[in-house]
Amino acid sequence: MVAMEKKSVFKIAELAKIEIDSREEKKFEDDLSDILVWCEKLMSIETPERNTNFTPNPYIEPNLRKDESVKNPSLESSYKKNGYFITDKVIK
Amino acid sequence: MIDKSILEIQKDLADKKYSYLELVNQQLALIRQSSTNSVIHIEDNIIEKVKEAEKNVNSEAFGMTILHKDNIAVKDQPLTCSSKMLQNFISPYNATLVQKLEDEGAICLGKTNLDEFGMGSSTSFTIHNRAKNPWDKTKTPGGSSGGSAAAIAEGLASVATGTDTGGSIRQPASFCGISGLKPTYGTVSRYGVVAYASSLDQAGPMAKHVSDVALAYNIIATKDSNDSKMAHAKDITQKILQDDIKGKTIGVAIEWIESLQNPHLKNYYKEAIKTYKELGAYVKNIQITNLEAALPCYYVISAAEAASNLARFDGMRYGYRSSKENKDIYKANRSESFGNEVKRRILLGNFVLSSGSENKYYQKARKVRALIQENYLSILKNVDAILAPATTGTAFEPGTQSVIEAYENDKFTVGVNLSGLPSLALPIGFDDGMPIGMQLIGKHMSDNLLLNLGHAFQKRTTWHKVSPVTL
Amino acid sequence: MKYIPTIGLEAHVQLNLASKMFSSSSSLANQPVNENASFVDLALPGMLPLINEEAIIQAIMFGKWINANINEMLTFDRKHYFYPDLPKGYQITQDVNPIVFDGKFQLSTKEGIKETSIVRAHLEEDAGKSTHDLFEDKTAIDFNRAGCALLEIVTGPDFTNVEDAIEFGKQLFQTVHYLGICAGSMKDGAFRMDLNVSIAPENSDKLGSRVEIKNLNSFKNMQLALKYEIERQQKALGNNEDIVQETRLFDTKELVTKSMRKKEDAADYKYMNEPDLLDQKLPIHLLDLAVKRLPLSPKEKIDNISSSFTLDERQVNLLMQDLPLLDLLANVIKKSKDKKLVNHWVFTEYLARINKFNSSVATAPVNGNHLGELINLIETDKLSAPSAKEVLDYMWSNEFKRPTDVVKLLDLSQVTDSKIIEGEIIQVIKDNKDKHTQYLNGMNKLYGFFVGQVMAKFKGKANPVVVNKLLKDVIERKDL
């Protein structure tokens, strides 16, 4: 039985850069626990080891780009100043 | 006009029964009157585009009024993805599929409602008001392409685009009584389609008539140098649908049909099977295994890819910025703008990719995925198409399902995405006034065959011609 | 207690490409801010990566050069972390299948050739550049660099002294330039090095705690950082303190390594196979292209040169360590076969100017073709040696000009025409009848006087050999 621990949810939220409200915390914990229990069904499926690489469509053709530079349009953004993208400092 | 196929409209335009501009204006007026919240942006500024289109009256999509799902980029129109993160974002470019349709004379009337970033099956996880099913406004039109499906059912445009990652074209198509194609993975460029799960997403056309779905598909299923995972559909240039399907073999997923809770639904599937027999197809029962595993497999893989694809949404270069002081800007920008369903998927995705879970769910899911694909392919060795339900029932009321119950809605559709196969949804009847649909699943690159099968069905039936009484 | 250091190196090499690793924007350095930041580079919704074929070729060239394995599969992975200069929130890199692995680098040292291991080399994309002091309290980001192709080269923990580690860095730098897969300087950030340092007691079979020092951009700083860090670790162990496994930065002002802000856990990058790119077999035709483009090895080039031009041991060593000089010599020999001249003009005149102007052969204003042409002019008597020095100096300090153009400009053409020279000789003799008579009567030392006078008439540009040959005859004439 897999349950989502409180500490785990917070750790995951850190990794995801998502803030969880203390009010929502329990709901997320429960939902994620339910999903993980449901996911255990996966683990019981027998999957033989194989060497072939999976592709969603075997007809996809490899496609590499030639090294040529193209003048692409710039992004107009209100977050720019003097050409730079400006943000609050992440690390103070 | 709103019920006619594009071919018929093209004839009307050639006969000068009305002009393209008159048609477009009429559709825009209908959109403004609609109360299903299917369209969330109306593009009035189309006169120049219509003039441009009128220079080439013989182009393939001349006369095609189209609505694009709001996670598909249309230049100078919003690209909100129904998210607060992008609520003020205007796309500076056209998705490849949008450009191709425009080049062939289609006119985009606006953007349709969806579940945020494509995650959901009710079009109620949205910053716009929830979309309503035109057949019964207390019910959902399905999701995540619910806006497009509802708009087509209401006759607001000839074609609407959707995206299908786990069923998001086929389920709303079934709930709204229209046709929708989830193309073979790799046949339609993903450039300009906001990524949810990169190895599962495909954009596809939805319309009342399979012939219109085919017309649109023909135009968008071409190679694009902006997407490096493309498969070139070699016989997709066949422009005229063949109606003769004699000798084709259809495998019926009989266990899935038998499992449906509502006994009336089974009858409609049996009728549909009978129709195919009358058309000269061979029909036999087939068995699809690993159904139990397909759902968690899908949710693990799609959550992992979604968590990764949504990492770029941080408000640094575009998008929502928090006005909170002294905060972790990443957490603030993201947490204040993502809805709960999206947050759930991001958390799940981070969990399965993190070293804490030792990657076991993710690695296992990848292996199970290969097994599921093998399973479908071995069935498809012996049949041309699989006939199956796309949904477990008809449209439901929003807010009546738990998280897992909502995920279980997709049980008949996710296997197709996991395998990269094409599937066409078609209306096959009504139960208690609500549409019932089926899906036809084919081998890789057999989109054309499915469209033929669908077109033949629609020449024998009239389900697709029924419209809800709205407005 | 004697401690032996163990050093491993990681180099991030900016590949020599016109466009970026996964997008078609220009990868040119020093461009206006965000001029080359396309929608793909900025990670707009709906964007997709596209692999640059030339980057694959250049990576394979490196792999072949160091006799490494080239991976059969071409696959990419996503490495996730959040930072303002990383637009997608992940970097596309190669975690599972590095394109190159298990190679050997032949390091030239004073003690001879040492074989060092290159564990792996893989392709990845660079991040943008953040500046924290341009705007008050804000971070400014330039995404021109975001998406540029990097080849990350990782050595084994093979170095046990600082000198070898530095020498490796220098020779690796030379090598990637020699192959043409890197074109920029360390100063510009085109070649960045990270160091891994640990120390352990002599004769211990266990390695000590490893400390990483990131982002060194000069060999001088590398040397200072290594020396400081080794001492620091020795002091710590001497005081019975543990060495913390961590990442440190080198402070270029205080010349010490400093701990970066510590995080509780090691970063979890959530590596995932890149689903926007096809996992494919490495295309064979790219392998072939890469091999075709490999230059001859230095040894092969030296052997080629030696077959027609004898080199002594000192010269061979010099050439092995200075690959641009080797290329220069090869080019010179194409234009001039005169061994004595080539020897003198390359190893004496040219190198003297390199030292005088404190530059390197790679960045010198005069290249092998020009030097070869210059030597050829001397060889064919069109230019005298003193004049050639003038030309070389001019070429060194002025805007690009070919030797023949400079000769015209400075009017230094050597006169070799016998008729003209004879004419002047006759004139000089006529103008100096007394001295001529004296010479004819036995004052042989006056010969030099006449040479001088003739040369003066030509302002030094007459070919001395021709002058001598003609004067010898004409001066004996009694009829003038």
Side-chain angles (χ1 to χ4, degrees):
Chain A
M1 185 77 170
V2 180
M4 201 71 188
E5 285 174 11
K6 185 183 186 139
K7 205 175 88 169
S8 309
V9 174
F10 270 117
K11 258 173 89 176
I12 297 298
E14 263 310 307
L15 211 53
K17 288 292 180 188
I18 300 273
E19 191 129 50
I20 302 186
D21 214 279
S22 48
R23 287 167 295 163
E24 306 170 314
E25 184 194 313
K26 183 82 178 70
K27 180 93 189 16
F28 274 114
E29 231 172 271
D30 289 341
D31 288 339
L32 287 170
S33 290
D34 287 345
I35 296 173
L36 287 176
V37 167
W38 191 61
C39 283
E40 285 296 323
K41 279 189 215 163
L42 258 187
M43 305 311 291
S44 59
I45 306 283
E46 225 186 273
T47 47
E49 282 305 317
R50 266 191 201 94
N51 277 328
T52 51
N53 286 313
F54 171 84
T55 171
N57 180 353
Y59 295 93
I60 293 175
E61 286 159 6
N63 178 359
L64 300 176
R65 178 177 55 87
K66 291 264 175 265
D67 182 33
E68 282 155 1
S69 80
V70 173
K71 181 73 192 87
N72 290 303
S74 321
L75 180 69
E76 284 173 27
S77 168
S78 57
Y79 296 155
K80 276 167 125 169
K81 189 170 169 181
N82 292 359
Y84 289 91
F85 282 90
I86 307 291
T87 80
D88 288 341
K89 288 204 185 211
V90 170
I91 298 170
K92 305 254 182 258
Chain B
M1 271 193 260
I2 52 174
D3 287 329
K4 288 186 174 180
S5 73
I6 294 171
L7 231 57
E8 290 167 329
I9 291 173
Q10 283 173 342
K11 190 164 183 308
D12 286 351
L13 289 170
D15 292 343
K16 300 219 193 296
K17 284 209 180 125
Y18 42 82
S19 71
Y20 204 179
L21 191 60
E22 282 168 341
L23 170 66
V24 165
N25 282 328
Q26 182 196 259
Q27 297 309 110
L28 287 171
L30 283 170
I31 292 173
R32 283 183 206 107
Q33 290 167 44
S34 161
S35 57
T36 57
N37 298 321
S38 55
V39 179
I40 49 96
H41 167 79
I42 303 177
E43 186 58 27
D44 305 64
N45 201 3
I46 41 80
I47 293 190
E48 288 308 315
K49 299 236 155 128
V50 176
K51 280 200 183 132
E52 196 58 41
E54 280 175 330
K55 292 181 186 163
N56 291 303
V57 299
N58 292 316
S59 41
E60 304 231 356
F62 185 72
M64 180 194 283
T65 49
I66 189 164
L67 290 160
H68 287 296
K69 186 175 179 183
D70 204 26
N71 64 352
I72 298 177
V74 179
K75 187 162 193 278
D76 301 331
Q77 292 193 30
L79 184 62
T80 67
C81 300
S82 290
S83 179
K84 194 167 173 186
M85 171 52 80
L86 294 176
Q87 65 185 356
N88 296 319
F89 184 79
I90 306 291
S91 178
Y93 73 104
N94 272 333
T96 298
L97 71 92
V98 168
Q99 191 63 54
K100 286 189 195 279
L101 287 162
E102 188 180 293
D103 289 344
E104 288 297 333
I107 300 294
C108 173
L109 304 177
K111 310 301 289 296
T112 60
N113 208 345
L114 66 152
D115 283 299
E116 190 179 358
F117 287 114
M119 298 177 207
S121 42
S122 58
T123 312
S124 42
F125 300 135
T126 165
I127 52 164
H128 315 288
N129 292 320
R130 74 159 184 93
K132 298 176 185 162
N133 193 316
W135 299 93
D136 179 345
K137 294 198 187 140
T138 66
K139 306 227 163 94
T140 85
S144 61
S145 312
S148 286
I152 293 298
E154 283 185 281
L156 302 181
S158 287
V159 173
T161 52
T163 59
D164 191 314
T165 304
S168 292
I169 286 177
R170 293 163 284 155
Q171 183 245 36
S174 294
F175 280 0
C176 292
I178 64 158
S179 308
L181 175 70
K182 179 243 165 251
T184 304
Y185 181 87
T187 56
V188 175
S189 171
R190 288 187 307 115
Y191 180 79
V193 179
V194 181
Y196 156 12
S198 313
S199 72
L200 299 162
D201 296 338
Q202 269 292 269
M206 301 163 80
K208 281 213 166 104
H209 308 269
V210 168
S211 57
D212 290 348
V213 172
L215 182 63
Y217 180 66
N218 260 330
I219 293 168
I220 63 180
T222 49
K223 269 239 174 200
D224 178 23
S225 57
N226 281 316
D227 179 346
S228 69
K229 277 179 94 178
M230 292 211 70
H232 185 52
K234 290 181 178 69
D235 64 359
I236 210 70
T237 51
Q238 177 197 313
K239 302 212 197 289
I240 299 171
L241 286 172
Q242 253 116 56
D243 303 334
D244 186 2
I245 58 155
K246 272 209 258 301
K248 297 293 179 201
T249 313
I250 299 191
V252 175
I254 193 68
E255 285 171 5
W256 288 10
I257 294 170
E258 294 296 333
S259 77
L260 296 172
Q261 300 256 306
N262 183 336
H264 301 144
L265 302 181
K266 298 186 210 186
N267 291 331
Y268 285 102
Y269 287 102
K270 296 199 166 128
E271 275 301 309
I273 293 165
K274 223 172 98 187
T275 305
Y276 273 113
K277 282 191 181 144
E278 284 164 12
L279 286 164
Y282 295 124
V283 173
K284 62 190 232 189
N285 288 340
I286 54 100
Q287 187 189 40
I288 305 175
T289 54
N290 286 323
L291 183 64
E292 287 280 285
L295 274 167
C297 176
Y298 168 77
Y299 275 99
V300 166
I301 292 177
S302 64
E305 292 187 7
S308 178
N309 284 326
L310 266 55
R312 68 187 59 199
F313 296 120
D314 52 21
M316 296 291 182
R317 302 163 305 290
Y318 57 85
Y320 177 86
R321 271 199 186 178
S322 164
S323 51
K324 235 161 72 174
E325 292 288 315
N326 286 328
K327 60 210 184 246
D328 176 327
I329 45 173
Y330 277 98
K331 279 193 195 161
N333 289 348
R334 288 161 63 79
S335 309
E336 288 173 26
S337 63
F338 288 144
N340 279 344
E341 182 58 37
V342 168
K343 280 183 182 166
R344 242 189 310 272
R345 308 277 182 113
I346 291 178
L347 290 173
L348 176 62
N350 272 277
F351 177 73
V352 303
L353 287 176
S354 74
S355 50
S357 71
E358 290 147 30
N359 239 308
K360 66 172 186 173
Y361 294 112
Y362 185 64
Q363 292 308 329
K364 188 67 174 178
R366 284 166 65 93
K367 291 190 184 133
V368 170
R369 179 177 188 175
L371 214 58
I372 290 173
Q373 187 191 57
E374 256 177 49
N375 202 240
Y376 275 98
L377 292 180
S378 72
I379 296 170
L380 287 162
K381 271 208 193 83
N382 304 314
V383 301
D384 290 307
I386 297 169
L387 188 157
T391 59
T392 51
T394 58
F396 50 85
E397 265 171 54
T400 54
Q401 297 185 321
S402 73
V403 168
I404 299 280
E405 278 166 353
Y407 290 177
E408 297 257 347
N409 284 331
D410 299 331
K411 70 201 260 192
F412 296 140
T413 47
V414 296
V416 165
N417 303 81
L418 288 169
S419 309
L421 299 172
S423 175
L424 176 69
L426 299 173
I428 59 166
F430 287 86
D431 179 56
D432 215 5
M434 295 307 291
I436 306 161
M438 69 174 175
Q439 61 173 327
L440 294 170
I441 304 167
K443 294 185 250 285
H444 291 111
M445 313 307 281
S446 71
D447 307 69
N448 234 27
L449 169 63
L450 299 180
L451 292 164
N452 280 331
L453 287 170
H455 191 233
F457 187 83
Q458 288 192 342
K459 290 199 108 182
R460 273 307 254 259
T461 58
T462 55
W463 304 115
H464 61 292
K465 293 195 176 160
V466 186
S467 288
V469 176
T470 52
L471 311 168
Chain C
M1 172 86 89
K2 186 164 187 225
Y3 291 103
I4 307 287
T6 300
I7 304 168
L9 303 166
E10 267 173 41
H12 286 90
V13 178
Q14 240 174 38
L15 291 178
N16 187 14
L17 305 168
S19 62
K20 297 186 179 179
M21 183 70 224
F22 298 110
S23 79
S24 62
S25 336
S26 165
S27 58
L28 222 57
N30 303 321
Q31 297 294 291
V33 179
N34 284 312
E35 174 91 348
N36 293 322
S38 69
F39 297 162
V40 176
D41 303 326
L42 295 173
L44 251 60
M47 289 295 134
L48 295 171
L50 298 166
I51 303 172
N52 186 327
E53 185 184 76
E54 177 66 20
I56 312 285
I57 294 173
Q58 292 186 4
I60 298 172
M61 282 173 70
F62 179 73
K64 286 288 183 189
W65 191 256
I66 59 168
N67 281 315
N69 289 331
I70 309 296
N71 206 314
E72 274 185 350
M73 292 301 297
L74 181 65
T75 73
F76 290 89
D77 305 289
R78 293 184 181 181
K79 176 181 179 182
H80 300 83
Y81 61 94
F82 287 100
Y83 200 68
D85 65 13
L86 192 69
K88 295 189 287 294
Y90 58 84
Q91 176 200 40
I92 304 180
T93 176
Q94 294 183 305
D95 178 54
V96 175
N97 285 315
I99 184 163
V100 165
F101 61 97
D102 289 347
K104 295 267 177 271
F105 189 90
Q106 312 295 332
L107 180 68
S108 300
T109 70
K110 281 182 252 144
E111 294 95 36
I113 306 280
K114 291 184 186 174
E115 200 177 70
T116 60
S117 61
I118 304 283
V119 172
R120 49 182 281 153
H122 70 256
L123 289 163
E124 58 183 32
E125 50 177 356
D126 212 341
K129 261 210 194 111
S130 1
T131 322
H132 303 287
D133 50 13
L134 262 182
F135 299 100
E136 199 188 309
D137 228 26
K138 301 272 185 202
T139 296
I141 314 161
D142 177 10
F143 291 102
N144 280 345
R145 203 182 62 177
C148 285
L150 292 175
L151 184 66
E152 179 176 321
I153 301 169
V154 182
T155 74
D158 294 340
F159 305 97
T160 52
N161 65 72
V162 176
E163 291 69 41
D164 282 353
I166 302 301
E167 199 48 42
F168 172 83
K170 289 183 176 167
Q171 288 182 25
L172 180 65
F173 180 88
Q174 271 214 358
T175 299
V176 296
H177 280 77
Y178 185 74
L179 290 171
I181 66 176
C182 179
S185 67
M186 275 186 98
K187 203 172 47 118
D188 285 339
F191 187 91
R192 311 186 301 246
M193 296 215 77
D194 294 347
L195 313 167
N196 289 304
V197 192
S198 67
I199 62 175
E202 194 173 30
N203 298 323
S204 165
D205 52 0
K206 260 177 38 177
L207 289 175
S209 281
R210 203 179 62 174
V211 169
E212 188 188 10
I213 309 172
K214 283 189 89 68
N215 268 336
L216 292 139
N217 66 351
S218 77
F219 295 118
K220 187 85 196 125
N221 284 338
M222 266 174 72
Q223 192 180 43
L224 292 171
L226 279 170
K227 287 213 160 103
Y228 176 84
E229 181 59 24
I230 291 170
E231 260 174 50
R232 183 190 79 87
Q233 291 190 13
Q234 279 171 340
K235 268 196 208 125
L237 288 180
N239 289 335
N240 274 321
E241 287 163 23
D242 285 329
I243 305 291
V244 178
Q245 180 156 323
E246 58 171 346
T247 301
R248 296 172 78 86
L249 288 174
F250 183 65
D251 187 316
T252 50
K253 289 204 186 81
E254 294 176 44
L255 303 184
V256 299
T257 63
K258 287 191 177 153
S259 196
M260 281 178 80
R261 205 178 65 151
K262 266 187 215 122
K263 285 192 181 159
E264 280 167 34
D265 310 293
D268 184 352
Y269 294 118
K270 299 172 293 182
Y271 283 102
M272 179 181 100
N273 173 252
E274 171 56 78
D276 283 334
L277 295 173
L278 184 69
D279 285 350
Q280 55 190 285
K281 284 208 153 60
L282 186 71
I284 305 279
H285 74 276
L286 293 182
L287 269 168
D288 295 337
L289 272 169
V291 169
K292 275 206 191 93
R293 281 172 46 178
L294 286 174
L296 292 175
S297 73
K299 187 167 182 312
E300 282 170 318
K301 279 197 184 172
I302 288 175
D303 286 345
N304 277 351
I305 291 173
S306 295
S307 62
S308 58
F309 188 91
T310 334
L311 295 162
D312 64 38
E313 198 181 311
R314 182 193 70 94
Q315 288 172 322
V316 170
N317 279 337
L318 187 61
L319 292 169
M320 287 293 286
Q321 291 193 350
D322 191 339
L323 300 180
L325 181 64
L326 176 56
D327 274 344
L328 179 115
L329 181 61
N331 283 328
V332 165
I333 290 175
K334 281 190 201 138
K335 305 249 163 155
S336 167
K337 304 289 176 222
D338 188 317
K339 295 186 178 130
K340 260 181 82 182
L341 283 177
V342 170
N343 225 321
H344 177 77
W345 283 89
V346 172
F347 290 98
T348 305
E349 298 289 345
Y350 187 82
L351 285 183
R353 281 165 180 78
I354 291 282
N355 286 327
K356 179 172 170 198
F357 294 105
N358 209 9
S359 64
S360 67
V361 178
T363 58
V366 179
N367 64 32
N369 287 327
H370 294 159
L371 189 60
E373 272 178 33
L374 184 68
I375 298 171
N376 186 262
L377 288 174
I378 306 170
E379 199 178 6
T380 53
D381 288 334
K382 294 201 181 71
L383 192 65
S384 68
S387 299
K389 284 189 190 169
E390 241 188 278
V391 172
L392 184 57
D393 284 333
Y394 184 90
M395 281 164 64
W396 210 280
S397 327
N398 289 289
E399 197 187 291
F400 171 86
K401 275 188 169 60
R402 292 186 58 189
T404 39
D405 295 337
V406 177
V407 166
K408 267 196 207 110
L409 185 74
L410 300 180
D411 193 25
L412 290 172
S413 263
Q414 187 165 250
V415 183
T416 51
D417 190 314
S418 304
K419 275 218 187 78
I420 297 175
I421 293 177
E422 196 177 34
E424 285 300 333
I425 290 174
I426 290 171
Q427 192 57 49
V428 162
I429 291 175
K430 282 196 177 147
D431 292 344
N432 293 280
K433 269 203 140 63
D434 301 337
K435 291 218 160 71
H436 188 224
T437 310
Q438 282 179 316
Y439 175 83
L440 285 174
N441 287 335
M443 270 194 104
N444 292 332
K445 63 183 179 184
L446 280 174
Y447 186 82
F449 167 76
F450 282 100
V451 172
Q453 287 296 301
V454 172
M455 293 302 281
K457 281 268 183 188
F458 286 102
K459 298 196 174 80
K461 287 185 290 180
N463 185 313
V465 172
V466 176
V467 166
N468 200 36
K469 195 176 87 172
L470 292 170
L471 183 61
K472 254 200 335 232
D473 288 335
V474 176
I475 205 171
E476 302 298 333
R477 280 168 60 173
K478 295 188 173 97
D479 60 329
L480 297 170

